[in-house]
Amino acid sequence: RCSLSRAAFDLVNIHLFHDASNLVAWEKSPSVYSGTRQKALGYVLDRITDQRHEKLPYFVFGDFNFRLDSKQVIESLCSTATLQTVRAADTNEVDKLIFRESDNDRKVVLQLEKKLFNYVNQDVFRENNGTSLLEYDKELSVFKDRLHELEISFPPSYPYSEDSSQGKQYMNTRCPAWCDRILLSPSARDLALKPENEEKSIVYDNIGPNVCMGDHKPVFLSFRITAGAGKCCQRGEKIFREAPL
């Protein structure tokens, strides 16, 4: 809980479950992992808004591990490719999926394994900040009435190479996705999007786009909270006013 002058709001850091296997994530849409994250985030939001606690604007941020809908994005990226399934000799379980072009000497477009996502053209995740793939970023839509996000204008935040000389390169381990986010409750969104705020004063972006920052690129949200422009909540709810950060 943060209090600046007479402004009060909650800051909630979160780290949700990851996709343990690319092959399992591919099996259905939405994936089983998406459902697990949905339940976990719903539990956290219920705790934040529990009637026992004072109602304040809140910001939820961290590694949500939100992923693109694997089945849909792979079907889009490999729409003209043919699929080869390779099974383990001892268990007969699917060991890898290989998507090949129908012509062009059957060039491999994508090879998918438990911890391998080797796509032929990483530029699709970087061009125009990868925003053409945002249609497959669906996990937040379940919470559209409870959480808001400013427009994403940065590339997928994970998984970047940890080679210090490859600041823009993704690792071939997972499908790049916007795992790292900053989400706002409706009242927190009102704090950030006040009419008196200049649009240019609100920035939602990543850090270190051209340098190695580890396998995640951190994201930040910067905005002004204007002094004396806060809301007043009656009947036992805390009175808070906006103050400059």
Side-chain angles (χ1 to χ4, degrees):
R1 179 152 294 184
C2 182
S3 178
L4 299 174
S5 184
R6 287 173 292 176
F9 48 88
D10 285 333
L11 301 175
V12 182
N13 183 242
I14 200 165
H15 189 176
L16 297 181
F17 309 105
H18 71 296
D19 284 13
S21 169
N22 294 323
L23 296 171
V24 173
W26 145 266
E27 289 176 353
K28 64 178 184 177
S29 171
S31 77
V32 62
Y33 302 121
S34 173
T36 302
R37 286 188 288 270
Q38 177 183 332
K39 292 178 182 178
L41 182 54
Y43 173 81
V44 171
L45 295 181
D46 288 343
R47 289 293 302 273
I48 296 171
T49 57
D50 190 293
Q51 293 298 320
R52 295 173 298 174
H53 304 307
E54 193 170 24
K55 291 184 178 180
L56 292 175
Y58 57 86
F59 298 82
V60 187
F61 57 94
D63 182 4
F64 289 82
N65 262 312
F66 288 162
R67 307 302 173 98
L68 303 184
D69 188 305
S70 292
K71 190 167 186 65
Q72 291 189 3
V73 74
I74 289 172
E75 288 175 349
S76 174
L77 294 175
C78 305
S79 59
T80 61
T82 58
L83 172 60
Q84 174 189 353
T85 302
V86 179
R87 296 181 178 273
D90 52 345
T91 64
N92 201 40
E93 293 183 354
V94 175
D95 188 50
K96 66 180 69 174
L97 301 175
I98 302 174
F99 297 82
R100 298 180 181 274
E101 293 185 4
S102 300
D103 49 17
N104 195 24
D105 296 326
R106 292 184 53 77
K107 179 181 177 181
V108 175
V109 177
L110 170 67
Q111 183 166 321
L112 193 73
E113 300 178 18
K114 180 179 180 180
K115 295 185 178 181
L116 178 71
F117 185 95
N118 191 0
Y119 184 62
V120 66
N121 180 22
Q122 280 199 4
D123 286 345
V124 69
F125 302 106
R126 291 187 289 257
E127 291 174 353
N128 195 29
N129 292 320
T131 51
S132 64
L133 298 172
L134 277 171
E135 64 178 294
Y136 306 109
D137 179 77
K138 300 179 177 182
E139 295 194 35
L140 183 57
S141 62
V142 177
F143 301 95
K144 63 182 180 181
D145 296 328
R146 306 178 71 181
L147 290 172
H148 302 275
E149 184 175 28
L150 298 188
E151 181 180 354
I152 291 177
S153 59
F154 49 87
S157 65
Y158 171 86
Y160 280 92
S161 169
E162 295 183 281
D163 183 336
S164 60
S165 66
Q166 300 291 331
K168 289 187 173 183
Q169 186 75 15
Y170 289 105
M171 287 192 288
N172 293 325
T173 53
R174 310 288 182 183
C175 177
W178 288 271
C179 293
D180 305 274
R181 318 283 276 260
I182 300 173
L183 309 179
L184 300 78
S185 69
S187 55
R189 180 189 59 179
D190 290 343
L191 287 180
L193 300 181
K194 282 295 181 185
E196 60 267 25
N197 272 357
E198 296 182 17
E199 185 176 347
K200 64 182 180 181
S201 71
I202 304 172
V203 182
Y204 185 39
D205 207 345
N206 65 4
I207 297 173
N210 301 315
V211 297
C212 179
M213 302 286 289
D215 58 346
H216 289 259
K217 293 285 189 192
V219 301
F220 71 93
L221 174 62
S222 172
F223 63 94
R224 294 179 180 275
I225 299 180
T226 306
K231 293 182 178 180
C232 179
C233 301
Q234 303 296 328
R235 296 184 181 178
E237 293 185 10
K238 188 175 182 69
I239 298 174
F240 66 94
R241 296 184 184 276
E242 297 167 299
L245 289 177

